[in-house]
Amino acid sequence: MEKIRVRFAPSPTGALHIGGVRTALYNYLFAKQHGGDMLLRIEDTDSNRFVPGAEDYIIESLNWLGIKIDEGVGVGGDCAPYRQSERKHIYRQYVDQLLDAGLAYIAFDTPEELEQKRTEIQNFQYDAKTRMQMTNSLTLSAEEVNMRIERGDVYVVRIKIEPDEDVTVDDLIRGEVIINSSVLDDKVLYKSADSLPTYHLANVVDDYLMKISHVIRGEEWLPSAPLHVLLYRSLGWEKEMPRFAHLPLLLKPDGNGKLSKRDGDRLGFPIFPLNWKDPKSGETSSGYREAGYFPEAVVNFLALLGWNPGTEQEIFSMQELIDAFSLDRVSKSGAKFDYEKGKWFNHKYLQMKPNEEIASLFAETLKEKGLDADMPTLIKIVSLVKERVNFVNELWEQSYFFFEAPASYDEKTVQKRWKENTPAQMDELIGVLEGIDDFSAENTENVVKAWIESKQYNLGGIMNAFRLSVVGAPKGPHMFDITAILGKAETISRLKKAIATIKQ
Ligand code: GLU
């Protein structure tokens, strides 16, 4: 069997969109499942749209997510170079091959002339119906064409699409997609101005030369696929044509239409894998990494946006995804970008990670605040509060009271829980706590509850005031887990402070 070879072929026009990340992921999963190769090719033939830093950004994003490249930019390989701008010398011969076979032609129309046509003819399209009215090698004599080229007129080479033919794109997700060639235009394949092919030609030539077996890409490229099929045929490579699979769109979380950066801004979620600073505007857009997502969670989340395993399983490691993935189970219809589900995945991965790992990450946050706690304590704290958070950067909000005594006391709780006799009871509680040697959660709880019972105090009343004194608010894990970590001296000191400070 032929070797499976897929490619991720982004254009370095800015930050990689999360939809592009999913495309890369599906290519990777497919390749790895079949023991194949994953290539990275940079499609940078459109110099007008080139954005510095975009290529590095793409590579860093893939690295972060654990999408490993076997061959291509940054790695090398037998088909190098993998940046199309460095492959200039390769494409011209295929342009000539098409010209010689009469399957393409040279066109001199200036932008102004084309604009003029657009105003004259409604829905103007450069094709079989209009090409004979234009300035090209089909309408000019051979001498005229040569003369123009020699004097340096800029020109483009266009594919000559024969009208009225049904072109079939055999898509692994969509089945046979049939397009009548009459709707296609004579796309530009090559521009003399920069001696560079356009996306269409470079894409097809490189897929052929790099022995790509499967083209897995976003649905937005489906309209280009019939042209690519025709190019394969025109170049005599029909037998080597890759199989196509066009992935469903990612849709807005709410309403209709394609997911856009604005949806992320509007609803507050990142649309890029990493933070991205636009070199032109200087504007920074947030990324999943900096927002505190684990790469495994992002991978898991994206894998299920458009593909489903056919079972109830939701949590998948990369290896499990590789084993379970199949293009058959990729849906044809768009996938709603449910970013709340993304948070849910992060929550799940946070729970699954060893407390030691989360504690080390949390230690960095604490360091920034000038705090440091010993590892065993931090691990204990993490184990007590992690269930309440989706992200490491939410741990502080759930645990700050382990590190600092309350600076103020929640007003509503004071009104509700701090009764006239509370200070006296808290004072009594201090006495009880002072008598305890084993300050473990279990023992302290037993002693304190026995005291409450012996005094016939109201359990809720005492415990709520105790919590208010120690935490400052009606929140946090089990009270005696907190006091066990704080220790006897700190617990008592906080009770004293509360008695002195809280006024009804
Ligand atoms: N360069 C195209 C892009 O930026 C690649 C499309 C394809 O994969 O064929 O998405």
Side-chain angles (χ1 to χ4, degrees):
M1 220 188 78
E2 52 150 12
K3 173 126 186 176
I4 299 290
R5 283 169 66 81
V6 301
R7 83 300 191 272
F8 181 51
S11 300
T13 56
L16 183 59
H17 189 276
I18 199 75
V21 176
R22 188 198 55 173
T23 298
L25 175 64
Y26 283 19
N27 271 284
Y28 177 73
L29 297 178
F30 183 79
K32 295 300 113 182
Q33 181 175 70
H34 293 97
D37 294 332
M38 167 82 171
L39 280 73
L40 176 65
R41 182 172 76 222
I42 297 291
E43 303 211 319
D44 56 351
T45 55
D46 186 350
S47 53
N48 295 324
R49 299 186 58 215
F50 179 84
V51 174
E55 180 187 302
D56 288 342
Y57 179 94
I58 290 163
I59 292 173
E60 198 180 333
S61 300
L62 299 179
N63 275 339
W64 179 62
L65 291 160
I67 298 174
K68 293 187 206 74
I69 302 300
D70 299 302
E71 194 179 314
V73 171
V75 183
D78 291 344
C79 307
Y82 293 91
R83 243 178 239 112
Q84 289 185 329
S85 59
E86 292 168 12
R87 298 172 62 79
K88 239 179 172 168
H89 58 286
I90 292 172
Y91 305 110
R92 179 71 217 202
Q93 59 176 298
Y94 301 106
V95 176
D96 290 336
Q97 184 188 328
L98 293 170
L99 285 171
D100 292 346
L103 298 168
Y105 59 94
I106 291 172
F108 296 100
D109 317 86
T110 64
E112 295 74 33
E113 284 163 354
L114 289 168
E115 197 43 53
Q116 178 61 27
K117 276 287 169 206
R118 274 186 214 110
T119 53
E120 273 168 35
I121 305 175
Q122 232 187 353
N123 302 325
F124 169 79
Q125 174 163 289
Y126 211 122
D127 61 13
K129 281 206 244 29
T130 58
R131 63 170 81 108
M132 297 313 284
Q133 311 166 28
M134 308 299 290
T135 314
N136 55 44
S137 58
L138 304 172
T139 56
L140 303 172
S141 69
E143 295 77 54
E144 169 93 25
V145 170
N146 287 336
M147 187 272 284
R148 281 175 177 253
I149 292 175
E150 260 151 48
R151 77 173 181 216
D153 284 12
V154 292
Y155 64 88
V156 298
V157 174
R158 289 181 179 271
I159 186 167
K160 190 173 168 213
I161 303 264
E162 296 304 335
D164 272 329
E165 187 207 333
D166 280 340
V167 183
T168 304
V169 179
D170 200 358
D171 190 283
L172 289 166
I173 296 168
R174 284 146 217 279
E176 288 197 344
V177 179
I178 300 170
I179 297 287
N180 192 279
S181 64
S182 296
V183 307
L184 304 175
D185 63 330
D186 291 353
K187 277 267 178 321
V188 172
L189 301 177
Y190 180 85
K191 303 184 292 330
S192 75
D194 54 9
S195 310
L196 275 172
T198 59
Y199 154 72
H200 299 290
L201 185 72
N203 186 267
V204 164
V205 166
D206 285 345
D207 282 346
Y208 169 76
L209 293 176
M210 295 176 185
K211 299 194 166 50
I212 297 302
S213 65
H214 292 75
V215 166
I216 303 170
R217 61 184 172 191
E219 181 178 302
E220 62 272 31
W221 302 100
L222 183 58
S224 302
L227 170 65
H228 295 182
V229 169
L230 290 174
L231 271 172
Y232 268 95
R233 196 208 289 169
S234 303
L235 288 160
W237 301 333
E238 229 173 346
K239 282 213 195 69
E240 288 84 4
M241 187 161 77
R243 307 294 310 273
F244 288 101
H246 289 91
L247 306 174
L249 286 178
L250 293 183
L251 304 175
K252 291 183 187 308
D254 53 354
N256 297 319
K258 212 175 129 184
L259 177 71
S260 74
K261 177 161 176 322
R262 240 172 299 135
D263 299 318
D265 295 343
R266 181 169 56 89
L267 299 165
F269 60 88
I271 208 80
F272 299 132
L274 319 176
N275 274 8
W276 166 253
K277 186 164 181 229
D278 188 284
K280 262 217 205 97
S281 67
E283 188 198 337
T284 300
S285 307
S286 71
Y288 279 84
R289 182 177 63 183
E290 291 78 3
Y293 282 82
F294 296 116
E296 307 94 300
V298 176
V299 162
N300 199 151
F301 170 48
L302 289 179
L304 289 164
L305 283 174
W307 168 81
N308 75 79
T311 64
E312 293 296 301
Q313 186 177 349
E314 291 195 278
I315 301 296
F316 287 87
S317 66
M318 187 69 102
Q319 189 55 50
E320 288 172 319
L321 288 171
I322 290 169
D323 295 337
F325 186 76
S326 83
L327 288 172
D328 299 341
R329 303 205 69 93
V330 174
S331 74
K332 292 197 232 331
S333 49
K336 251 194 201 323
F337 193 79
D338 181 1
Y339 62 99
E340 290 296 342
K341 191 79 192 197
K343 290 186 196 164
W344 180 86
F345 274 110
N346 211 68
H347 176 84
K348 288 287 175 193
Y349 277 86
L350 201 149
Q351 308 315 309
M352 287 182 323
K353 289 206 183 261
N355 291 332
E356 290 75 9
E357 197 180 323
I358 304 297
S360 317
L361 293 170
F362 187 34
E364 291 166 28
T365 316
L366 294 175
K367 225 176 168 181
E368 281 163 27
K369 297 184 186 293
L371 296 167
D372 75 326
D374 62 286
M375 240 334 133
T377 306
L378 218 47
I379 290 169
K380 188 84 220 289
I381 293 172
V382 163
S383 77
L384 291 175
V385 302
K386 72 172 181 179
E387 211 189 304
R388 300 158 189 254
V389 303
N390 295 330
F391 300 98
V392 169
N393 60 23
E394 292 172 349
L395 285 171
W396 174 252
E397 184 52 34
Q398 296 299 333
S399 65
Y400 60 86
F401 43 82
F402 286 108
F403 307 96
E404 48 194 32
S408 65
Y409 301 89
D410 181 68
E411 213 156 304
K412 261 201 197 134
T413 316
V414 170
Q415 272 171 27
K416 214 161 123 203
R417 309 289 188 195
W418 204 260
K419 300 280 154 55
E420 217 180 302
N421 58 353
T422 305
Q425 287 175 336
M426 291 299 109
D427 208 38
E428 216 181 297
L429 173 58
I430 290 172
V432 171
L433 296 176
E434 270 169 349
I436 301 176
D437 287 324
D438 168 12
F439 216 68
S440 67
E442 204 192 0
N443 188 55
T444 311
E445 176 164 7
N446 287 339
V447 174
V448 170
K449 286 197 172 155
W451 160 68
I452 293 172
E453 205 167 320
S454 72
K455 290 295 176 89
Q456 300 266 295
Y457 288 152
N458 175 287
L459 177 67
I462 297 286
M463 292 309 295
N464 285 318
F466 188 16
R467 183 177 291 277
L468 179 66
S469 305
V470 172
V471 175
K475 65 191 279 184
H478 185 56
M479 199 50 216
F480 295 100
D481 283 330
I482 300 178
T483 55
I485 288 177
L486 292 178
K488 188 159 137 179
E490 176 67 13
T491 305
I492 290 171
S493 132
R494 289 189 186 189
L495 278 166
K496 286 183 175 160
K497 187 178 168 197
I499 294 167
T501 324
I502 300 179
K503 307 265 174 300
Q504 275 156 283

